Amino acid sequence: MPETILETRDLRKAFGALLAVDGVSVQVQAGAIHSIIGPNGAGKTTFFNLLSGNIRPTSGQVLYKGRDITKLPLYRTAHIGMGRSFQITNLFPNLTAFENVRLACQAMGRNNFSFWQPARHFTRYTDRTVAILEQVGLAERAGQLAGTLPHGDQRKLELGIILGADPEVLLLDEPTAGMAAEQVPELMTLIQQIQQQGSKTVVLVEHNMNVVMSISDRITVMHQGQVLAEGTPAEIAANETVQSAYLGGLYELDQQDREPAA
Ligand SMILES: Nc1ncnc2c1ncn2[C@@H]1O[C@H](COP(=O)(O)OP(=O)(O)OP(=O)(O)O)[C@@H](O)[C@H]1O
Ligand SMILES: [Mg+2]
């Protein structure tokens, strides 16, 4: 049995009368790419905010490695191994790519608030920063101000910033948002490499159905705050409720496109 690394139990979040997340129970297996899909307003980002401790649930539980982390705030979940991205690009535009990643490495170091650090710590952070920039394909842009990088590179840099904290679980909220279509496969390959090489777990919110179907081990479909369906990509693609409620003809159309002419 694969180990469950992250789990929610009957998670709810109400905004006034609106139940943005309405009784969601999900189990994420360690080492998996687990995607959360659903139409706009389905509650995906709110669910992420609950997982990462950005907001508190109205009721229900979040467990990380069996430990109840429901009430841990964002900075604490980051320290126990959960790294998250935001739907909107989130970096320091007036710092270089290098500085952005090094800050992330340093923030997670043990002596992060002490001024007097042995010089070898800085070397360690610098080495790690170089390695991470190489991993996300930005080594040559290390000295460039983050705000002046092309959008696709900014999204790669965000991955680098998350990796700076050396998380076990990456929560990625639409990492390809705003990217040109031709850049999407590269970023997804990068995410797969990060997951496989570092044996990390990825929870992914993504609108691009081709991407989701090809990259995911498991998919949870959300609709109006609830889980509509869960399964492997093949199961989700074949699920009639999902087809009528969300996927519509989209995925089928894509399959036909790929079918060689008879
Ligand atoms: N802070 C908030 N206060 C009030 N309502 C909110 C708040 N955050 C989200 N909502 C509402 O909760 C519902 C779920 O929003 P959420 O952002 O989680 O959806 P989503 O699935 O991420 O959508 P999208 O695909 O557009 O990113 C929406 O109706 C949204 O308007
Ligand atoms: Mg969202």
Side-chain angles (χ1 to χ4, degrees):
M1 272 293 282
E3 179 204 350
T4 298
I5 189 159
L6 191 58
E7 180 179 358
T8 66
R9 292 187 185 158
D10 205 17
L11 205 58
R12 281 196 170 74
K13 180 67 189 181
F15 294 116
L18 174 80
L19 275 169
V21 171
D22 184 9
V24 171
S25 299
V26 169
Q27 294 192 339
V28 177
Q29 305 299 336
I33 296 188
H34 191 132
S35 294
I36 314 284
I37 65 170
N40 291 122
K44 305 178 298 292
T45 296
T46 306
F47 181 64
F48 257 41
N49 285 336
L50 293 170
L51 287 180
S52 63
N54 220 30
I55 58 174
R56 290 260 182 105
T58 307
S59 63
Q61 282 179 301
V62 183
L63 289 95
Y64 177 69
K65 296 182 173 174
R67 173 182 167 197
D68 191 330
I69 61 158
T70 314
K71 291 183 177 151
L72 285 193
L74 185 64
Y75 73 92
R76 295 272 296 139
T77 60
H79 272 272
I80 59 169
M82 298 213 305
R84 73 160 290 180
S85 77
F86 291 85
Q87 194 165 346
I88 299 162
T89 305
N90 196 274
L91 35 74
F92 293 110
N94 295 322
L95 295 183
T96 64
F98 184 89
E99 288 163 339
N100 266 280
V101 174
R102 194 186 53 185
L103 268 180
C105 293
Q106 235 166 286
M108 288 299 149
R110 248 176 299 159
N111 303 314
N112 48 342
F113 294 116
S114 99
F115 179 76
W116 300 105
Q117 298 200 31
R120 66 174 189 282
H121 285 189
F122 286 107
T123 320
R124 197 181 64 209
Y125 297 137
T126 303
D127 292 348
R128 275 205 56 208
T129 303
V130 170
I132 288 170
L133 286 171
E134 262 166 28
Q135 191 179 5
V136 299
L138 289 177
E140 275 156 31
R141 305 225 162 176
Q144 200 170 325
L145 292 184
T148 66
L149 290 170
H151 185 74
D153 284 349
Q154 292 192 5
R155 304 246 69 164
K156 288 185 196 166
L157 181 56
E158 284 182 298
L159 276 180
I161 291 170
I162 298 172
L163 289 174
D166 198 21
E168 280 184 65
V169 178
L170 287 84
L171 306 174
L172 306 177
D173 195 354
E174 300 196 36
T176 67
M179 281 181 97
E182 63 270 19
Q183 293 180 319
V184 170
E186 192 192 339
L187 193 80
M188 292 329 282
T189 306
L190 181 60
I191 290 171
Q192 254 175 328
Q193 279 170 359
I194 289 168
Q195 179 247 347
Q196 284 162 6
Q197 290 167 5
S199 42
K200 296 186 187 297
T201 308
V202 175
V203 188
L204 178 73
V205 170
E206 181 55 54
H207 274 295
N208 185 320
M209 240 359 86
N210 295 336
V211 163
V212 166
M213 289 297 169
S214 64
I215 201 178
S216 310
D217 296 302
R218 265 195 111 63
I219 299 175
T220 298
V221 186
M222 284 185 71
H223 188 64
Q224 295 178 352
Q226 299 182 333
V227 174
L228 186 72
E230 200 189 296
T232 63
E235 284 164 358
I236 293 302
N239 184 307
E240 282 179 17
T241 322
V242 177
Q243 294 240 346
S244 55
Y246 176 46
L247 291 175
L250 265 181
Y251 185 65
E252 266 184 349
L253 192 73
D254 179 62
Q255 291 293 80
Q256 282 163 9
D257 282 345
R258 286 180 192 195
E259 215 89 307

